[in-house]
Amino acid sequence: MADPGPLWSAALLPALLITAAAATAGLDAVLTAGAARGRAGTVRETASRAAAPVREVVRLLVRQPRRTTAMDVTLLRIGVVLLPTTAVLAAAVLPLGFRAVGDPDIGVVWFNALEALAWAAVWLTGWASNSALALIGGYRFLAQGLAYELPHMFALTTAALGAGSLRVGGVVDAQAGLWFVVWMPVAFVVYLVSAMAMAFWGPFDQPVGRDVSGGAGAELSGADRVLFFGGRWLLLVVAAAVGVPLFLGGGHGPWLPGWAWVLVKTAAVLAVLVRVRHLVPAVRMDRYTEIAWLVLTPLTVLQALVVAVVVLGR
């Protein structure tokens, strides 16, 4: 069981997530600049490219904010604040090593349920902008949620089934001898795909796609834009980090302390997700819905059945 962390760990959690999100954004900026202008020639140039997200945040904060006609500012503010809040709340059950801010008996359900808040956040942002393109982006995210959620739930259920517990700490304890990814590879891959869809990232970024001028975030400016897209980065970090205790053994590993293993594994998962963004083109939502319902869902059900048979045979 994951030991509950001290009270100050709850205050430290947002800072850790923001640091991880900033580092991930820096890596993505380096890869993006490398694809556009070629590989950086010096360490100084690499550092300058990595700092591009920080410069963008400063630029947004000092610019004059703009508003569309009849924008519902209250709903919009609720939406943009709700997204990072959802990410931080979802991370509360994430053990750093073998200690988490909280390890409730329904930790896996808690993480899954908070996705609904992310759906609400993106849709509210699109709706409140009073813009057709922003509204399209909001509805795209709802459609994306309907596509990815079913296989995503089966992937989460498979990990809980293998551990015989819905506690995230219990799932980590069950992997002391063998990581779940070894005998649940389908559930792990489906989880990673769903994590990208959950964070509308890479091939699943159509809710904020260029073809709709930024979609749900099209009319955002200033601090609102920083909060919304910062929340997206936090969501990506949390989704990647939760995959570590569910499938990659959490803090289990030789030589290093548990917290260090969690950081190393989370960084590896994030690096993969960032790389996928630059390698895989955007997926049409109707195509992904077909794949999710006709291919991924049956595969995850089959994976869950195999795990159930193994658990019953112990």
Side-chain angles (χ1 to χ4, degrees), residues 94-249:
L94 179 64
L96 184 59
F98 301 100
R99 306 188 75 177
V101 172
D103 190 21
D105 292 338
I106 54 165
V108 175
V109 178
W110 169 265
F111 169 72
N112 193 206
L114 283 172
E115 290 176 36
L117 288 182
W119 297 4
V122 176
W123 184 82
L124 275 177
T125 303
W127 174 271
S129 297
N130 193 32
S131 162
L133 296 178
L135 188 60
I136 290 172
Y139 275 113
R140 276 186 177 182
F141 191 57
L142 292 184
Q144 188 158 288
L146 293 175
Y148 83 78
E149 185 58 35
L150 201 54
H152 182 62
M153 282 197 299
F154 278 117
L156 294 175
T157 303
T158 302
L161 183 63
S165 174
L166 287 170
R167 283 190 306 101
V168 177
V171 177
V172 173
D173 292 342
Q175 299 176 76
L178 184 66
W179 297 359
F180 281 174
V181 66
V182 176
W183 59 299
M184 304 177 190
V186 173
F188 178 62
V189 171
V190 169
Y191 175 83
L192 291 184
V193 172
S194 303
M196 287 188 287
M198 174 183 169
F200 42 107
W201 174 260
F204 307 101
D205 69 350
Q206 292 196 24
V208 292
R210 292 182 179 178
D211 59 325
V212 285
S213 301
E219 306 298 341
L220 297 178
S221 62
D224 295 334
R225 191 173 183 85
V226 172
L227 280 171
F228 181 78
F229 284 99
R232 180 198 191 193
W233 281 106
L234 291 178
L235 211 55
L236 179 69
V237 168
V238 173
V242 170
V244 172
L246 292 184
F247 296 101
L248 298 177

Side-chain angles (χ1 to χ4, degrees), residues 216-290:
E219 306 298 341
L220 297 178
S221 62
D224 295 334
R225 191 173 183 85
V226 172
L227 280 171
F228 181 78
F229 284 99
R232 180 198 191 193
W233 281 106
L234 291 178
L235 211 55
L236 179 69
V237 168
V238 173
V242 170
V244 172
L246 292 184
F247 296 101
L248 298 177
H252 292 295
W255 307 307
L256 299 177
W259 62 268
W261 271 116
V262 169
L263 293 181
V264 169
K265 294 172 185 177
T266 300
V269 174
L270 280 170
V272 170
L273 298 186
V274 169
R275 193 59 183 159
V276 166
R277 182 193 179 206
H278 295 268
L279 296 177
V280 181
V283 179
R284 266 177 45 189
M285 198 46 51
D286 57 328
R287 291 283 175 81
Y288 179 63
T289 302
E290 289 180 6

